[in-house]
């Protein structure tokens, strides 16, 4: 089993600048989805290939995975996908990346690291300060998607996001998946594993109001 990366380590203090939309994508005006903790990016490669009218950006804290994904991206000449290395909170909290969240239509946190011990909860990626940044910068009508197979982590994320009055949870039956970043309901690697083993999944969608 892999060791989780401690996002609070000073190793991640250096912040990568997110390039402008024109530098990253062929069609800079396409709707933009951000996947946080995208690992090797398999999910985003699948999405980018089937939904060419969307742009996708993945942020991942394991540098080797990001380097490999960037290499694969160049080889395949995919023009609606981009990867950034680092701690997502620090990257999005950085003033040089201020422009970015204003352009994001939706964000996914898929199966984030659970950090089971209470003293490690602060290493979880969904934190009140992070949600505050999202709530200050995202446009009204933008979405956050959370998904996990760890009930306790789900409750923690749900409580953190719901405590911010700028987000309201959406009833899934009222949500128009066909217009979303993932109309074909592509699954992440972890999701495929969890579904294959008939483990429960907990998920929720929130809209910025
Ligand atoms: C359990 S994996 C899930 C990967 C993928 N989303 C999936 O569903 O298969 C969680 C990923 O989030 C990354 N991660 C954890 N904390 C992060 C942070 N603060 N910023 C960016 N990535 C992070 C981890 O390195 C890991 O690749």
């Amino acid at each position: 089993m892999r060791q989780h990366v401690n996002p609070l380590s000073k190793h991640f203090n250096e912040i990568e600048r997110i390039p402008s939309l024109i530098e990253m994508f062929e069609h800079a005006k396409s709707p933009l989805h951000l996947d946080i903790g995208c690992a090797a990016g398999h999910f985003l490669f699948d999405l980018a290939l089937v939904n060419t009218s969307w742009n996708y950006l993945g942020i991942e804290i394991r540098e080797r995975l990001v380097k490999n994904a960037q290499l694969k991206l160049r080889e395949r000449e995919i023009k609606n996908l981009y990867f950034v290395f680092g701690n997502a909170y620090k990257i999005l909290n950085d003033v040089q990346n201020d422009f970015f969240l204003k352009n994001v239509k939706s964000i996914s946190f898929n199966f984030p690291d659970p950090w089971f011990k209470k003293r490690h909860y602060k290493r979880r990626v969904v934190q009140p300060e992070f949600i505050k940044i999202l709530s200050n910068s995202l446009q009204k009508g933008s979405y956050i998607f959370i998904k996990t197979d760890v009930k306790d982590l789900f409750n923690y994320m749900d409580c953190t996001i719901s405590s911010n009055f700028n987000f309201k949870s959406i009833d899934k039956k009222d949500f128009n998946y066909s217009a979303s970043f993932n109309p074909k309901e592509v699954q992440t690697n972890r999701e495929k594993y969890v579904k294959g083993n008939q483990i429960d999944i907990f998920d929720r969608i929130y809209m910025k109001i």
Side-chain angles (χ1 to χ4, degrees), residues 80-91:
N80 61 333
L81 178 55
Y82 202 88
F83 293 98
V84 170
F85 155 71
N87 177 341
Y89 166 65
K90 288 196 175 162
I91 290 172

Side-chain angles (χ1 to χ4, degrees), residues 16 38-41 58-73 82-86:
E16 195 167 315
C38 63
I59 302 182
E60 168 55 49
I61 203 163
R62 284 183 286 160
E63 194 166 17
R64 175 52 44 206
L65 295 185
V66 176
K67 289 219 160 95
N68 290 342
Q70 287 166 336
L71 202 64
K72 191 163 134 189
L73 197 57
Y82 202 88
F83 293 98
V84 170
F85 155 71

